[in-house]
Amino acid sequence: MSNPTLGRALRRATAVAAAGLVALAGLPAAAQVAAADVPDPVIHYTFDDVAGPTVTDASGNGHHGTLRREGAQVRDGLLSLPGGNASSAPYVEVPTAALVGRTDLTVSTWLDPRSGPGNLAAAFIGAPVASGAAYSAGYWLLNPSNPSGYVKSVLTSSVAPSAPWGTEVGPGSTNAATSGLRTPTGGALYTSVVDGTRGTLTVYVNGTAIREVAIARNVASFGAQLVAYIGRSTYDDPGWNGDVLDYAVYDTALDADQVGELFASEAMELAVDAVEVPATAAETFTLPGASYGARLSWASDHPAITVDGTTATVTRPAPGVGDASVTLTATFTVGERTHTEGYVVLVPQDLTDEEKAATDLAAITVPGAANVRTNLSVPTSGDLGSSIGWTVREGEEHVSFRDGVSAGSRTVVVERPAAGAEAVDVVLTATARLGAVTRSRDIELTIQPMPGGSAGTEAYVWAFFTGEGAGAERVSLAASRGNDALAWNTLNEGEPLFTSELGTGGLRDPFIIRSPEGDRFFMIATDLKIDGLPGGFRTAQISGSLHMEVWESDDLVTWSDQRHVQVSSEYAGNTWAPEAFWSEELDTYVVFWASNLYDTTDPADRTDVTYNRMMYATTDDFVTFSEPRVWVDVRRGAGRGMIDSTVALVDGTYHRFTKDEADMTIRHEVSTDLLATVSGALPGRQGPVDEWTLVQERVATGLPNGEPGRTFTSGEGASVFPANEGDVNGLDWFLLIDQPSYHGGPNHYVPFGTDDLDAGAAWQPLGHVLRENLPQNSDGGKPRHGTVIPVTRAEYQRVLEAYAPDIAVASVGALDVTTQAGVAPELGQATLTMVDGSSTTVDVEWAPVDSADYAGAGTFTVRGVAQDASRMPVEATVTVLGAAPVTVEADTRCVVGRVVETARVDNASAEPVEVTVSSAFGARTVTVGPERTTTLTFSTRQQAVPAGAVSVTANGGTVSAAYPARSCA
């Protein structure tokens, strides 16, 4: 449907047919046959004349349509609708004045669907939704591909306002979903004849009746108020996705000959104009076998291209012979009409072996060559046939080679410099060999030193998506409140940080893994967008993505460009929830995901969902992957299998948690061999240690889920991770299970914790804690299927600085505390200055202070955790003042009616001591000689004073003495 002349070609054919004669413009006279008499339509949209939102009615009757919402494209006689969410997908509103009260009616429209199987509507005529109702009580609806992949054109033949779909009759109806015809590939003419006079609905595809049913109602039965649309219905289903070439409504019931004439008069020219053949071909390609209902057969006039069915096999002329000009002749057949069309294809002469070798060498790329931190894969063959060998020209102490993860790769084993050393440059030499030709190319890598500093983790980062709503199928990050896996900070003001620019345009189920070296992270995610996808999860499992999405980062802040990597075979229908595990034994990553598998590579030949198997592949660098292998293959019911595995390793034993789709619960198994396979039936509790055995079925089922009065019943997307040392919750392991609303949950993760991963029934419910401390996106979304990764304080700080500068602490005010020997220090609060410049004073949870620390003079440090959002570590420096080497006695007396305060200081030591005597009435510094006594007086100038104290500081210590109250009145 990419040819811009299609709309104009159809208009010419239609105009001729309306005159009662078929003469297909530009086709030979031999193709002309007599035509049936087809009346003029009362509404006719050719999409040749669209001004703003107005779709002109070419019938001349003035029933102009209105294009609603944004996103549709109209060009050269073609309306392209993108589909999408019911609330936002564009559509055409058709006026209904010409439709009201019609007993007989024919709707005929050329459509090229892009929507897969699902509940949706390409065209609709029906009663409006009544007040208080959810759907139209009566309607005619056309859906080129119902959820079973059959053409659906139905009319409600009785009345059931609460469930009108149950009253549908016609091919592909709700109660006869596989009646009629499977959806044809590509563009087709869909004609529905409502003959209320005879009491029949007859549906045609490409001029051929696919089914006729009796009807008790017709369009007149739907009342005096009607609505009509192209691209939607009154159901809350996704908008239809596809191209509309022509839409015509006739106020009569066309007969079979007239419908056949509509198709025949239009199909040939549409078919011819729609076919495209490459102007140049250097490799085998596929030719169309059908186009707009026409059958095509092909012939070639030159051995440079041989045709077998629809496969055009290219054999390039030898170098020096010159290019070949090949004419491919297509014979189009529509009924008894035939037409031939020639297409010239240039087949360039073959490259020389030297040119091929040079091209294959030039095509070699090593992503991240200037920043190598992990092993990586390099190719062993080129697309043009060269074999590629590898050697190390410089830096043999830092790189070596071994067999690769795939048949066409080698692994570059990297030995990084020690922490603190400089990065090193190494040079690899790739040598391409083809025939007698040998050519080489040097590739330089810069290998970074190993990370230094503490690898201890003190916080967590959470990657997640939030659901199927508009805009929700993106990836967000959250950061814990310090070392607390059950309390979280929202980052980036609640906006997702990763949006897919490739594949389906949706991201779900993100998983982050840290490299074994510690300073590289890989994030992988499902390539899936359910929002607006006709057929929803069913379509996604039959004709979904074979890819996963990949990013990498050295700091969780700066990320690489998105990589769209195919990991599933062409026999898969989906690639769901990828996770990865670093295998020290294999010295590579094992990546696992769920796929439905089929016996055909063509999604159009798949009649229904099979069941999900768990698959796995290995990779060194998340660029090159091994062939996928089946890991778990157990059918758990119609369309149900095993999905969403997550793995932990404890003392040489792997713990695997997987969703069992039989009852939508989580199953816990163990094995000493990560790659041991399961087939046919799920394992029991007994078996060899290197096979998977059962620990617990229905993990955590029946425990409280944190919602008042509710329990965890079923879920998916389990994520297991170890607690950091010192996590405030005092547990060793956490297990998050996504309990979406369709599994009776709160539509976010529910947490459980344990100190014993081997004890399957030991999980403690923690939902009541996390419920109050969940991150939340700006649209209200909360974390669903994702992963939590422990991080160092430095990594955590970088994440906060990048995505929450109002939380990230730039500095902590100095905390200096003085106390007397034997007196516990009062540590108090901390003042924090944030990265955004704001400041705050917060409480601190201080570590316990041993009384021995302040028993005598000296200095010590107390550590604490600020009770801010980041739980910033803080320190207080405590100075302990020792006892002074003097004693003091204090008293008061009356002198001339006024109170005088006295302090008698006694130095019993053999050395003179400088002392400072302080009271409420003054301070004096004097030196007291060895074994001497000094008395100091302070005039109060008052007739009466209350009781008080005098302090004496000497040699860093302080002593004090009380004096009594005195009145001299």
Side-chain angles (χ1 to χ4, degrees), residues 365-448:
T365 60
V366 179
N371 182 24
V372 175
R373 297 169 188 255
T374 64
N375 295 348
L376 53 93
S377 294
V378 292
T380 57
S381 62
D383 290 341
L384 299 181
S386 304
S387 64
I388 300 174
W390 293 87
T391 57
V392 182
R393 188 163 73 82
E394 295 179 12
E396 288 186 348
E397 67 273 28
H398 292 291
V399 290
S400 59
F401 296 97
R402 69 176 186 218
D403 290 343
V405 296
S406 65
S409 71
R410 296 213 77 193
T411 294
V412 180
V413 181
V414 174
E415 185 69 31
R416 294 170 60 178
E422 296 293 324
V424 298
D425 293 331
V426 303
V427 179
L428 308 182
T429 299
T431 301
R433 292 180 173 84
L434 188 61
V437 173
T438 300
R439 295 196 59 168
S440 296
R441 173 191 165 201
D442 286 343
I443 297 176
E444 185 174 291
L445 307 178
T446 300
I447 301 179
Q448 301 298 325

Side-chain angles (χ1 to χ4, degrees), residues 89-165:
Y91 63 94
V92 175
E93 184 175 1
V94 180
T96 58
L99 310 178
V100 173
R102 295 294 181 186
T103 300
D104 301 335
L105 200 70
T106 299
V107 181
S108 188
T109 179
W110 281 96
L111 304 173
D112 189 357
R114 285 185 295 271
S115 295
N119 286 315
L120 63 164
F124 178 90
I125 299 171
V129 179
S131 177
Y135 330 100
S136 295
Y139 55 80
W140 165 80
L141 181 150
L142 170 65
N143 176 4
S145 187
N146 73 4
S148 296
Y150 278 71
V151 174
K152 175 176 181 175
S153 180
V154 296
L155 186 127
T156 52
S157 195
S158 58
V159 179
S162 63
W165 56 85

Side-chain angles (χ1 to χ4, degrees), residues 564-585:
H564 183 60
V565 183
Q566 181 173 338
V567 293
S568 290
S569 80
E570 300 293 335
Y571 290 93
N574 56 292
T575 307
W576 279 5
E579 288 204 13
F581 192 89
W582 169 259
S583 170
E584 186 173 355
E585 178 184 3

